[in-house]
Amino acid sequence: YGHTEEVVPSELDCTLAHMSDTDAVELSEMVDQVVRFETDGGDTYLLDGMVTTEPCELASGGDLSLKMSGQPAVRE
């Protein structure tokens, strides 16, 4: 007798190469960012209102982990 939906926030969990100009502190403190994400299959999504949910961690190989959350993804 009707339809219900639940809005689920987007979650982004990725690994970034740590370069000399990469600022891990700035990445850890991001708020209200727009992120464009392209899948391996070539689909592109826009993630709005993204905030970093955990401080970036530097792995032994030199990569940074980044975790963000925000508005539901919109396919472009």
Side-chain angles (χ1 to χ4, degrees):
Y1 297 153
H3 176 80
T4 60
E5 292 185 15
E6 179 181 351
V7 177
V8 179
S10 294
E11 292 183 0
L12 175 65
D13 187 355
C14 62
T15 303
L16 307 171
H18 186 257
M19 309 299 282
S20 62
D21 61 345
T22 305
D23 187 340
V25 174
E26 183 178 344
L27 290 170
S28 295
E29 297 175 347
M30 289 192 298
V31 176
D32 198 26
Q33 299 295 305
V34 177
V35 176
R36 177 174 283 136
F37 176 79
E38 184 175 339
T39 66
D40 291 339
D43 295 326
T44 305
Y45 294 88
L46 192 64
L47 309 168
D48 195 13
M50 299 296 283
V51 298
T52 304
T53 57
E54 296 180 19
C56 289
E57 292 185 22
L58 183 60
S60 60
D63 292 336
L64 285 173
S65 67
L66 177 64
K67 294 183 180 184
M68 301 183 81
S69 181
Q71 300 296 318
V74 176
R75 187 173 183 177
E76 292 190 304

Short mmCIF file of all heavy atoms in Angstrom, two decimals:
data_model
loop_
_atom_site.label_atom_id
_atom_site.label_comp_id
_atom_site.label_asym_id
_atom_site.label_seq_id
_atom_site.Cartn_x
_atom_site.Cartn_y
_atom_site.Cartn_z
N TYR A 1 0.82 -1.19 0.00
CA TYR A 1 0.00 0.00 0.00
C TYR A 1 0.85 1.25 0.00
O TYR A 1 0.72 2.12 0.82
CB TYR A 1 -0.92 0.02 1.20
CG TYR A 1 -1.92 -1.08 1.25
CD1 TYR A 1 -2.41 -1.52 2.45
CD2 TYR A 1 -2.39 -1.68 0.10
CE1 TYR A 1 -3.34 -2.51 2.53
CE2 TYR A 1 -3.32 -2.69 0.16
CZ TYR A 1 -3.80 -3.10 1.38
OH TYR A 1 -4.72 -4.08 1.44
N GLY A 2 1.76 1.31 -0.87
CA GLY A 2 2.59 2.50 -0.93
C GLY A 2 4.04 2.13 -1.12
O GLY A 2 4.42 0.97 -1.26
N HIS A 3 4.84 3.14 -1.09
CA HIS A 3 6.26 2.99 -1.36
C HIS A 3 7.03 3.79 -0.33
O HIS A 3 6.68 4.92 -0.01
CB HIS A 3 6.56 3.52 -2.78
CG HIS A 3 8.00 3.51 -3.12
ND1 HIS A 3 8.65 2.38 -3.54
CD2 HIS A 3 8.92 4.50 -3.12
CE1 HIS A 3 9.92 2.66 -3.78
NE2 HIS A 3 10.10 3.95 -3.53
N THR A 4 8.08 3.19 0.20
CA THR A 4 8.94 3.91 1.13
C THR A 4 10.38 3.81 0.64
O THR A 4 10.76 2.84 -0.01
CB THR A 4 8.86 3.34 2.56
OG1 THR A 4 9.27 1.98 2.54
CG2 THR A 4 7.45 3.45 3.11
N GLU A 5 11.15 4.81 0.96
CA GLU A 5 12.56 4.84 0.60
C GLU A 5 13.36 5.31 1.79
O GLU A 5 12.86 6.04 2.64
CB GLU A 5 12.82 5.79 -0.57
CG GLU A 5 12.24 5.35 -1.87
CD GLU A 5 12.62 6.26 -3.02
OE1 GLU A 5 13.56 7.07 -2.87
OE2 GLU A 5 11.98 6.17 -4.07
N GLU A 6 14.60 4.91 1.82
CA GLU A 6 15.51 5.36 2.86
C GLU A 6 16.70 6.03 2.19
O GLU A 6 17.33 5.44 1.31
CB GLU A 6 15.98 4.17 3.69
CG GLU A 6 16.95 4.55 4.78
CD GLU A 6 17.43 3.34 5.57
OE1 GLU A 6 16.88 2.24 5.40
OE2 GLU A 6 18.37 3.52 6.36
N VAL A 7 16.99 7.26 2.57
CA VAL A 7 18.13 7.97 2.03
C VAL A 7 19.38 7.47 2.76
O VAL A 7 19.44 7.49 3.98
CB VAL A 7 17.98 9.49 2.21
CG1 VAL A 7 19.22 10.22 1.71
CG2 VAL A 7 16.74 9.98 1.49
N VAL A 8 20.34 7.01 1.98
CA VAL A 8 21.57 6.47 2.55
C VAL A 8 22.73 7.37 2.11
O VAL A 8 22.88 7.64 0.92
CB VAL A 8 21.82 5.03 2.05
CG1 VAL A 8 23.11 4.48 2.60
CG2 VAL A 8 20.64 4.14 2.42
N PRO A 9 23.53 7.87 3.06
CA PRO A 9 24.64 8.73 2.67
C PRO A 9 25.68 7.97 1.86
O PRO A 9 25.84 6.75 2.00
CB PRO A 9 25.22 9.20 4.00
CG PRO A 9 24.75 8.23 5.01
CD PRO A 9 23.47 7.64 4.49
N SER A 10 26.37 8.69 0.99
CA SER A 10 27.49 8.11 0.25
C SER A 10 28.66 7.92 1.19
O SER A 10 28.89 8.74 2.09
CB SER A 10 27.92 9.04 -0.88
OG SER A 10 26.92 9.16 -1.83
N GLU A 11 29.40 6.86 0.98
CA GLU A 11 30.64 6.64 1.72
C GLU A 11 31.74 6.36 0.71
O GLU A 11 31.56 5.57 -0.21
CB GLU A 11 30.50 5.46 2.68
CG GLU A 11 29.54 5.76 3.82
CD GLU A 11 29.46 4.61 4.82
OE1 GLU A 11 30.16 3.60 4.63
OE2 GLU A 11 28.70 4.75 5.78
N LEU A 12 32.85 7.05 0.87
CA LEU A 12 33.99 6.90 -0.01
C LEU A 12 35.18 6.45 0.83
O LEU A 12 35.53 7.08 1.82
CB LEU A 12 34.30 8.22 -0.70
CG LEU A 12 35.54 8.28 -1.58
CD1 LEU A 12 35.37 7.35 -2.79
CD2 LEU A 12 35.81 9.70 -2.03
N ASP A 13 35.77 5.34 0.45
CA ASP A 13 36.94 4.81 1.13
C ASP A 13 37.98 4.55 0.04
O ASP A 13 37.80 3.67 -0.80
CB ASP A 13 36.57 3.51 1.85
CG ASP A 13 37.69 2.97 2.72
OD1 ASP A 13 38.80 3.55 2.71
OD2 ASP A 13 37.46 1.97 3.41
N CYS A 14 39.03 5.37 0.02
CA CYS A 14 39.99 5.26 -1.08
C CYS A 14 41.43 5.40 -0.57
O CYS A 14 41.66 5.77 0.57
CB CYS A 14 39.70 6.30 -2.15
SG CYS A 14 39.83 8.00 -1.58
N THR A 15 42.35 5.08 -1.46
CA THR A 15 43.78 5.20 -1.18
C THR A 15 44.38 6.19 -2.17
O THR A 15 44.12 6.10 -3.36
CB THR A 15 44.46 3.82 -1.33
OG1 THR A 15 43.83 2.89 -0.46
CG2 THR A 15 45.93 3.91 -0.99
N LEU A 16 45.13 7.13 -1.65
CA LEU A 16 45.77 8.16 -2.47
C LEU A 16 47.29 8.01 -2.40
O LEU A 16 47.83 7.65 -1.34
CB LEU A 16 45.40 9.56 -1.97
CG LEU A 16 43.92 9.87 -1.81
CD1 LEU A 16 43.75 11.20 -1.10
CD2 LEU A 16 43.25 9.89 -3.15
N ALA A 17 47.96 8.28 -3.49
CA ALA A 17 49.42 8.30 -3.48
C ALA A 17 49.89 9.53 -2.73
O ALA A 17 49.42 10.63 -2.97
CB ALA A 17 49.95 8.31 -4.91
N HIS A 18 50.78 9.34 -1.78
CA HIS A 18 51.32 10.47 -1.00
C HIS A 18 52.48 11.07 -1.77
O HIS A 18 53.54 10.46 -1.90
CB HIS A 18 51.77 10.00 0.38
CG HIS A 18 52.18 11.13 1.26
ND1 HIS A 18 53.50 11.43 1.50
CD2 HIS A 18 51.45 12.06 1.92
CE1 HIS A 18 53.56 12.49 2.29
NE2 HIS A 18 52.34 12.88 2.56
N MET A 19 52.26 12.27 -2.30
CA MET A 19 53.28 12.98 -3.06
C MET A 19 53.84 14.12 -2.20
O MET A 19 53.30 14.43 -1.14
CB MET A 19 52.67 13.55 -4.35
CG MET A 19 51.90 12.52 -5.18
SD MET A 19 52.88 11.14 -5.74
CE MET A 19 53.70 11.89 -7.10
N SER A 20 54.86 14.79 -2.69
CA SER A 20 55.48 15.87 -1.91
C SER A 20 54.53 17.04 -1.67
O SER A 20 54.65 17.75 -0.69
CB SER A 20 56.75 16.37 -2.61
OG SER A 20 56.43 16.91 -3.89
N ASP A 21 53.54 17.23 -2.57
CA ASP A 21 52.60 18.34 -2.40
C ASP A 21 51.26 17.89 -1.80
O ASP A 21 50.31 18.66 -1.76
CB ASP A 21 52.36 19.06 -3.73
CG ASP A 21 51.78 18.15 -4.80
OD1 ASP A 21 51.80 16.91 -4.62
OD2 ASP A 21 51.29 18.67 -5.81
N THR A 22 51.17 16.65 -1.32
CA THR A 22 49.94 16.15 -0.69
C THR A 22 49.91 16.58 0.76
O THR A 22 50.85 16.30 1.51
CB THR A 22 49.87 14.62 -0.78
OG1 THR A 22 49.99 14.22 -2.13
CG2 THR A 22 48.56 14.11 -0.22
N ASP A 23 48.85 17.26 1.17
CA ASP A 23 48.72 17.73 2.55
C ASP A 23 47.73 16.84 3.28
O ASP A 23 46.51 16.99 3.16
CB ASP A 23 48.24 19.19 2.55
CG ASP A 23 48.24 19.81 3.93
OD1 ASP A 23 48.25 19.08 4.93
OD2 ASP A 23 48.22 21.05 4.00
N ALA A 24 48.25 15.89 4.06
CA ALA A 24 47.40 14.93 4.79
C ALA A 24 46.52 15.63 5.81
O ALA A 24 45.38 15.20 6.04
CB ALA A 24 48.27 13.87 5.46
N VAL A 25 47.00 16.69 6.43
CA VAL A 25 46.20 17.42 7.42
C VAL A 25 45.01 18.08 6.73
O VAL A 25 43.88 18.01 7.21
CB VAL A 25 47.06 18.46 8.17
CG1 VAL A 25 46.20 19.32 9.08
CG2 VAL A 25 48.15 17.76 8.96
N GLU A 26 45.25 18.72 5.59
CA GLU A 26 44.17 19.37 4.85
C GLU A 26 43.12 18.34 4.41
O GLU A 26 41.92 18.57 4.52
CB GLU A 26 44.71 20.11 3.64
CG GLU A 26 43.66 20.86 2.86
CD GLU A 26 44.23 21.62 1.68
OE1 GLU A 26 45.45 21.83 1.62
OE2 GLU A 26 43.44 21.99 0.80
N LEU A 27 43.58 17.20 3.91
CA LEU A 27 42.65 16.14 3.50
C LEU A 27 41.83 15.63 4.69
O LEU A 27 40.66 15.32 4.56
CB LEU A 27 43.42 14.98 2.87
CG LEU A 27 44.04 15.25 1.50
CD1 LEU A 27 44.96 14.10 1.12
CD2 LEU A 27 42.97 15.45 0.45
N SER A 28 42.45 15.55 5.86
CA SER A 28 41.78 15.06 7.06
C SER A 28 40.72 16.01 7.59
O SER A 28 39.84 15.61 8.34
CB SER A 28 42.80 14.80 8.18
OG SER A 28 43.68 13.76 7.81
N GLU A 29 40.80 17.29 7.19
CA GLU A 29 39.89 18.31 7.72
C GLU A 29 38.89 18.83 6.69
O GLU A 29 38.25 19.85 6.90
CB GLU A 29 40.71 19.46 8.28
CG GLU A 29 41.58 19.06 9.44
CD GLU A 29 42.50 20.15 9.93
OE1 GLU A 29 42.67 21.18 9.22
OE2 GLU A 29 43.08 19.98 11.01
N MET A 30 38.72 18.12 5.56
CA MET A 30 37.82 18.60 4.51
C MET A 30 36.36 18.55 4.95
O MET A 30 35.93 17.61 5.61
CB MET A 30 38.00 17.77 3.24
CG MET A 30 39.30 18.03 2.54
SD MET A 30 39.38 17.34 0.87
CE MET A 30 39.22 15.60 1.18
N VAL A 31 35.63 19.61 4.58
CA VAL A 31 34.21 19.73 4.89
C VAL A 31 33.49 20.29 3.67
O VAL A 31 34.01 21.17 2.99
CB VAL A 31 33.99 20.69 6.10
CG1 VAL A 31 32.52 20.91 6.37
CG2 VAL A 31 34.70 20.17 7.33
N ASP A 32 32.30 19.77 3.39
CA ASP A 32 31.43 20.26 2.31
C ASP A 32 32.15 20.31 0.97
O ASP A 32 32.17 21.33 0.29
CB ASP A 32 30.86 21.62 2.69
CG ASP A 32 29.64 21.97 1.83
OD1 ASP A 32 28.97 21.05 1.34
OD2 ASP A 32 29.37 23.17 1.65
N GLN A 33 32.74 19.19 0.57
CA GLN A 33 33.46 19.09 -0.69
C GLN A 33 32.61 18.38 -1.74
O GLN A 33 31.73 17.60 -1.42
CB GLN A 33 34.76 18.30 -0.49
CG GLN A 33 35.71 18.93 0.49
CD GLN A 33 36.22 20.26 0.00
OE1 GLN A 33 36.77 20.36 -1.09
NE2 GLN A 33 36.06 21.30 0.80
N VAL A 34 32.89 18.66 -3.00
CA VAL A 34 32.27 17.96 -4.12
C VAL A 34 33.33 17.02 -4.69
O VAL A 34 34.45 17.44 -5.00
CB VAL A 34 31.79 18.93 -5.20
CG1 VAL A 34 31.22 18.17 -6.39
CG2 VAL A 34 30.74 19.88 -4.64
N VAL A 35 32.99 15.73 -4.80
CA VAL A 35 33.92 14.73 -5.29
C VAL A 35 33.33 14.08 -6.54
O VAL A 35 32.17 13.69 -6.55
CB VAL A 35 34.18 13.64 -4.22
CG1 VAL A 35 35.08 12.55 -4.76
CG2 VAL A 35 34.77 14.27 -2.96
N ARG A 36 34.12 14.00 -7.59
CA ARG A 36 33.71 13.28 -8.80
C ARG A 36 34.46 11.95 -8.79
O ARG A 36 35.68 11.92 -8.64
CB ARG A 36 34.05 14.07 -10.05
CG ARG A 36 33.69 13.29 -11.32
CD ARG A 36 33.87 14.10 -12.58
NE ARG A 36 32.76 15.03 -12.68
CZ ARG A 36 32.88 16.31 -13.02
NH1 ARG A 36 34.06 16.81 -13.27
NH2 ARG A 36 31.83 17.07 -13.12
N PHE A 37 33.72 10.87 -8.94
CA PHE A 37 34.27 9.53 -8.85
C PHE A 37 34.00 8.78 -10.14
O PHE A 37 32.89 8.75 -10.63
CB PHE A 37 33.61 8.81 -7.67
CG PHE A 37 34.03 7.38 -7.52
CD1 PHE A 37 35.24 7.06 -6.94
CD2 PHE A 37 33.21 6.37 -7.96
CE1 PHE A 37 35.62 5.75 -6.80
CE2 PHE A 37 33.58 5.04 -7.83
CZ PHE A 37 34.79 4.73 -7.25
N GLU A 38 35.04 8.19 -10.72
CA GLU A 38 34.88 7.39 -11.92
C GLU A 38 35.19 5.93 -11.59
O GLU A 38 36.25 5.62 -11.04
CB GLU A 38 35.80 7.87 -13.04
CG GLU A 38 35.59 7.11 -14.33
CD GLU A 38 36.41 7.66 -15.48
OE1 GLU A 38 36.83 8.83 -15.43
OE2 GLU A 38 36.63 6.90 -16.45
N THR A 39 34.28 5.04 -11.92
CA THR A 39 34.46 3.62 -11.66
C THR A 39 35.41 3.01 -12.69
O THR A 39 35.70 3.62 -13.72
CB THR A 39 33.13 2.86 -11.71
OG1 THR A 39 32.64 2.89 -13.05
CG2 THR A 39 32.11 3.48 -10.77
N ASP A 40 35.85 1.79 -12.42
CA ASP A 40 36.70 1.07 -13.38
C ASP A 40 35.98 0.86 -14.70
O ASP A 40 36.60 0.76 -15.74
CB ASP A 40 37.14 -0.27 -12.81
CG ASP A 40 38.10 -0.12 -11.64
OD1 ASP A 40 38.73 0.94 -11.53
OD2 ASP A 40 38.20 -1.06 -10.84
N GLY A 41 34.64 0.79 -14.66
CA GLY A 41 33.84 0.59 -15.87
C GLY A 41 33.56 1.87 -16.63
O GLY A 41 32.90 1.85 -17.67
N GLY A 42 34.01 3.01 -16.12
CA GLY A 42 33.84 4.28 -16.81
C GLY A 42 32.63 5.10 -16.39
O GLY A 42 32.42 6.19 -16.91
N ASP A 43 31.80 4.58 -15.47
CA ASP A 43 30.67 5.37 -14.97
C ASP A 43 31.18 6.46 -14.05
O ASP A 43 32.13 6.26 -13.28
CB ASP A 43 29.69 4.49 -14.19
CG ASP A 43 29.02 3.45 -15.07
OD1 ASP A 43 28.77 3.75 -16.26
OD2 ASP A 43 28.75 2.34 -14.59
N THR A 44 30.57 7.65 -14.12
CA THR A 44 30.99 8.79 -13.31
C THR A 44 29.87 9.19 -12.36
O THR A 44 28.71 9.27 -12.75
CB THR A 44 31.36 9.99 -14.20
OG1 THR A 44 32.35 9.57 -15.15
CG2 THR A 44 31.92 11.13 -13.38
N TYR A 45 30.22 9.44 -11.11
CA TYR A 45 29.27 9.85 -10.09
C TYR A 45 29.74 11.14 -9.44
O TYR A 45 30.94 11.38 -9.29
CB TYR A 45 29.14 8.77 -9.00
CG TYR A 45 28.52 7.50 -9.51
CD1 TYR A 45 29.30 6.50 -10.06
CD2 TYR A 45 27.15 7.31 -9.46
CE1 TYR A 45 28.73 5.33 -10.54
CE2 TYR A 45 26.57 6.15 -9.93
CZ TYR A 45 27.37 5.16 -10.47
OH TYR A 45 26.80 4.01 -10.94
N LEU A 46 28.79 11.96 -9.03
CA LEU A 46 29.07 13.20 -8.32
C LEU A 46 28.61 13.03 -6.88
O LEU A 46 27.46 12.66 -6.62
CB LEU A 46 28.34 14.36 -8.99
CG LEU A 46 28.75 15.75 -8.56
CD1 LEU A 46 30.21 16.01 -8.93
CD2 LEU A 46 27.86 16.79 -9.19
N LEU A 47 29.52 13.28 -5.95
CA LEU A 47 29.24 13.17 -4.52
C LEU A 47 29.32 14.57 -3.93
O LEU A 47 30.38 15.19 -3.96
CB LEU A 47 30.24 12.24 -3.85
CG LEU A 47 30.44 10.87 -4.51
CD1 LEU A 47 31.66 10.18 -3.94
CD2 LEU A 47 29.21 10.02 -4.34
N ASP A 48 28.23 15.07 -3.38
CA ASP A 48 28.16 16.44 -2.88
C ASP A 48 28.12 16.44 -1.36
O ASP A 48 27.64 15.51 -0.73
CB ASP A 48 26.91 17.13 -3.44
CG ASP A 48 26.95 18.63 -3.29
OD1 ASP A 48 28.01 19.19 -2.97
OD2 ASP A 48 25.89 19.26 -3.48
N GLY A 49 28.61 17.51 -0.76
CA GLY A 49 28.56 17.68 0.68
C GLY A 49 29.44 16.70 1.43
O GLY A 49 29.15 16.34 2.57
N MET A 50 30.52 16.27 0.82
CA MET A 50 31.39 15.26 1.43
C MET A 50 32.25 15.86 2.54
O MET A 50 32.75 16.97 2.43
CB MET A 50 32.29 14.63 0.37
CG MET A 50 31.53 13.92 -0.74
SD MET A 50 30.58 12.51 -0.19
CE MET A 50 31.87 11.29 0.02
N VAL A 51 32.40 15.09 3.62
CA VAL A 51 33.27 15.47 4.74
C VAL A 51 34.17 14.28 5.06
O VAL A 51 33.77 13.13 4.92
CB VAL A 51 32.48 15.88 5.99
CG1 VAL A 51 31.63 17.09 5.73
CG2 VAL A 51 31.62 14.74 6.50
N THR A 52 35.38 14.57 5.49
CA THR A 52 36.29 13.51 5.91
C THR A 52 35.81 12.98 7.25
O THR A 52 35.54 13.75 8.17
CB THR A 52 37.73 14.04 6.03
OG1 THR A 52 38.11 14.61 4.77
CG2 THR A 52 38.70 12.94 6.39
N THR A 53 35.68 11.65 7.36
CA THR A 53 35.13 11.05 8.57
C THR A 53 36.19 10.53 9.53
O THR A 53 35.91 10.30 10.70
CB THR A 53 34.16 9.90 8.23
OG1 THR A 53 34.85 8.94 7.43
CG2 THR A 53 32.95 10.41 7.48
N GLU A 54 37.41 10.32 9.02
CA GLU A 54 38.52 9.85 9.86
C GLU A 54 39.80 10.53 9.39
O GLU A 54 39.94 10.81 8.20
CB GLU A 54 38.70 8.34 9.72
CG GLU A 54 37.54 7.52 10.21
CD GLU A 54 37.77 6.03 10.05
OE1 GLU A 54 38.94 5.61 9.89
OE2 GLU A 54 36.79 5.28 10.08
N PRO A 55 40.72 10.78 10.29
CA PRO A 55 42.00 11.36 9.86
C PRO A 55 42.70 10.43 8.88
O PRO A 55 42.60 9.21 8.98
CB PRO A 55 42.80 11.47 11.16
CG PRO A 55 41.79 11.45 12.25
CD PRO A 55 40.65 10.62 11.74
N CYS A 56 43.39 11.01 7.91
CA CYS A 56 44.15 10.22 6.93
C CYS A 56 45.24 9.45 7.67
O CYS A 56 45.84 9.95 8.62
CB CYS A 56 44.79 11.12 5.89
SG CYS A 56 43.64 11.87 4.76
N GLU A 57 45.49 8.24 7.18
CA GLU A 57 46.58 7.43 7.73
C GLU A 57 47.59 7.15 6.64
O GLU A 57 47.22 6.80 5.52
CB GLU A 57 46.04 6.13 8.30
CG GLU A 57 45.18 6.31 9.53
CD GLU A 57 44.76 4.97 10.13
OE1 GLU A 57 45.44 3.96 9.87
OE2 GLU A 57 43.76 4.96 10.84
N LEU A 58 48.86 7.31 6.98
CA LEU A 58 49.94 7.06 6.04
C LEU A 58 50.41 5.62 6.20
O LEU A 58 50.83 5.21 7.29
CB LEU A 58 51.10 8.03 6.29
CG LEU A 58 52.28 7.95 5.34
CD1 LEU A 58 51.85 8.23 3.90
CD2 LEU A 58 53.36 8.93 5.77
N ALA A 59 50.30 4.83 5.13
CA ALA A 59 50.73 3.43 5.15
C ALA A 59 52.23 3.34 4.91
O ALA A 59 52.85 4.28 4.42
CB ALA A 59 49.96 2.65 4.09
N SER A 60 52.79 2.19 5.22
CA SER A 60 54.24 2.01 5.07
C SER A 60 54.70 2.16 3.62
O SER A 60 55.83 2.54 3.38
CB SER A 60 54.65 0.64 5.61
OG SER A 60 53.97 -0.38 4.90
N GLY A 61 53.82 1.90 2.65
CA GLY A 61 54.19 2.04 1.25
C GLY A 61 54.10 3.46 0.73
O GLY A 61 54.39 3.72 -0.43
N GLY A 62 53.68 4.40 1.57
CA GLY A 62 53.60 5.79 1.17
C GLY A 62 52.23 6.22 0.71
O GLY A 62 52.06 7.34 0.25
N ASP A 63 51.22 5.35 0.81
CA ASP A 63 49.86 5.71 0.43
C ASP A 63 49.09 6.28 1.62
O ASP A 63 49.38 5.96 2.77
CB ASP A 63 49.11 4.48 -0.09
CG ASP A 63 49.65 3.96 -1.40
OD1 ASP A 63 50.27 4.76 -2.14
OD2 ASP A 63 49.47 2.77 -1.69
N LEU A 64 48.11 7.13 1.32
CA LEU A 64 47.23 7.69 2.33
C LEU A 64 45.84 7.07 2.20
O LEU A 64 45.32 6.93 1.09
CB LEU A 64 47.06 9.20 2.14
CG LEU A 64 48.20 10.10 2.54
CD1 LEU A 64 47.91 11.53 2.11
CD2 LEU A 64 48.43 10.05 4.03
N SER A 65 45.24 6.70 3.33
CA SER A 65 43.85 6.25 3.31
C SER A 65 42.96 7.46 3.57
O SER A 65 43.28 8.31 4.39
CB SER A 65 43.61 5.18 4.36
OG SER A 65 43.75 5.72 5.66
N LEU A 66 41.85 7.55 2.83
CA LEU A 66 40.92 8.66 2.97
C LEU A 66 39.51 8.10 3.05
O LEU A 66 39.11 7.32 2.19
CB LEU A 66 41.04 9.62 1.78
CG LEU A 66 40.08 10.80 1.74
CD1 LEU A 66 40.32 11.73 2.92
CD2 LEU A 66 40.19 11.55 0.43
N LYS A 67 38.77 8.49 4.09
CA LYS A 67 37.39 8.06 4.26
C LYS A 67 36.51 9.30 4.37
O LYS A 67 36.78 10.19 5.16
CB LYS A 67 37.23 7.19 5.49
CG LYS A 67 37.97 5.88 5.37
CD LYS A 67 37.74 4.99 6.55
CE LYS A 67 38.53 3.69 6.34
NZ LYS A 67 38.29 2.73 7.40
N MET A 68 35.44 9.33 3.52
CA MET A 68 34.53 10.47 3.48
C MET A 68 33.10 9.99 3.45
O MET A 68 32.81 8.85 3.09
CB MET A 68 34.81 11.33 2.24
CG MET A 68 36.22 11.88 2.16
SD MET A 68 36.44 12.95 0.72
CE MET A 68 35.73 14.48 1.39
N SER A 69 32.18 10.88 3.81
CA SER A 69 30.75 10.60 3.76
C SER A 69 30.02 11.87 3.35
O SER A 69 30.50 12.97 3.62
CB SER A 69 30.27 10.13 5.14
OG SER A 69 28.90 9.82 5.11
N GLY A 70 28.85 11.71 2.70
CA GLY A 70 28.10 12.87 2.26
C GLY A 70 26.76 12.51 1.65
O GLY A 70 26.22 11.44 1.92
N GLN A 71 26.25 13.39 0.82
CA GLN A 71 24.95 13.20 0.18
C GLN A 71 24.97 11.97 -0.73
O GLN A 71 26.03 11.54 -1.17
CB GLN A 71 24.59 14.44 -0.65
CG GLN A 71 24.49 15.72 0.16
CD GLN A 71 23.36 15.66 1.17
OE1 GLN A 71 22.28 15.17 0.87
NE2 GLN A 71 23.62 16.15 2.36
N PRO A 72 23.79 11.40 -1.02
CA PRO A 72 23.74 10.27 -1.93
C PRO A 72 24.36 10.61 -3.29
O PRO A 72 24.26 11.75 -3.77
CB PRO A 72 22.24 10.01 -2.09
CG PRO A 72 21.65 10.51 -0.81
CD PRO A 72 22.48 11.71 -0.45
N ALA A 73 25.00 9.64 -3.90
CA ALA A 73 25.68 9.84 -5.19
C ALA A 73 24.68 10.08 -6.30
O ALA A 73 23.59 9.52 -6.30
CB ALA A 73 26.54 8.61 -5.51
N VAL A 74 25.08 10.92 -7.25
CA VAL A 74 24.26 11.21 -8.44
C VAL A 74 25.08 10.79 -9.65
O VAL A 74 26.22 11.23 -9.83
CB VAL A 74 23.91 12.70 -8.54
CG1 VAL A 74 23.16 13.01 -9.81
CG2 VAL A 74 23.12 13.14 -7.31
N ARG A 75 24.50 9.93 -10.49
CA ARG A 75 25.21 9.48 -11.69
C ARG A 75 25.17 10.59 -12.72
O ARG A 75 24.13 11.17 -12.98
CB ARG A 75 24.56 8.22 -12.23
CG ARG A 75 25.32 7.60 -13.35
CD ARG A 75 24.71 6.28 -13.73
NE ARG A 75 25.50 5.65 -14.75
CZ ARG A 75 25.25 4.48 -15.23
NH1 ARG A 75 24.22 3.78 -14.78
NH2 ARG A 75 26.00 3.98 -16.18
N GLU A 76 26.33 10.87 -13.32
CA GLU A 76 26.40 11.92 -14.34
C GLU A 76 26.11 11.37 -15.70
O GLU A 76 26.32 10.25 -16.02
CB GLU A 76 27.78 12.57 -14.34
CG GLU A 76 28.04 13.37 -13.07
CD GLU A 76 29.29 14.18 -13.18
OE1 GLU A 76 30.37 13.62 -13.45
OE2 GLU A 76 29.19 15.40 -12.99
#
